[in-house]
Amino acid sequence: MTEKLFQRVIQKLDIPAESISGAPRVTISGGTRVLIEGHKGLLEYAEDRIAAAGSGCRVLIKGENLGLVAMDRDEMVVSGRLWAVEIE
């Protein structure tokens, strides 16, 4: 399927492009909580930085007193004092 046709199908079906592409969805709440949906695993874990793999990218969370609140095969919740969330 060509890229142009693929985009038209996504538009007609009203499907969010990120759900098809496999890209992670990152939601930040109040500067103290991050939800990463569609992650591919934990890459780095420290009190000041947590990194998760995505499809073709890496999500890096920087802050203080960071901790993994919950994690399953699809979602990850990180809490602490957030300084930055970077997609690399």
Side-chain angles (χ1 to χ4, degrees), residues 1-58:
M1 183 180 302
T2 67
E3 182 65 26
K4 196 173 193 176
L5 179 58
F6 181 69
Q7 293 301 324
R8 286 178 47 201
V9 169
I10 288 172
Q11 240 177 355
K12 291 287 184 190
L13 295 176
D14 197 26
I15 299 171
E18 63 272 5
S19 66
I20 298 294
S21 71
R25 175 180 283 182
V26 179
T27 306
I28 303 169
S29 301
T32 59
R33 192 175 199 98
V34 177
L35 168 64
I36 304 171
E37 298 172 275
H39 72 86
K40 303 295 182 198
L42 189 62
L43 297 174
E44 188 176 346
Y45 188 90
E47 189 176 296
D48 63 342
R49 58 193 296 129
I50 294 176
S55 286
C57 69
R58 173 180 146 133

Side-chain angles (χ1 to χ4, degrees), residues 64-84:
E64 285 181 57
N65 300 318
L66 297 178
L68 204 53
V69 175
M71 181 176 165
D72 63 20
R73 64 184 183 95
D74 297 319
E75 298 179 352
M76 176 185 302
V77 179
V78 175
S79 70
R81 185 169 176 210
L82 304 177
W83 294 338

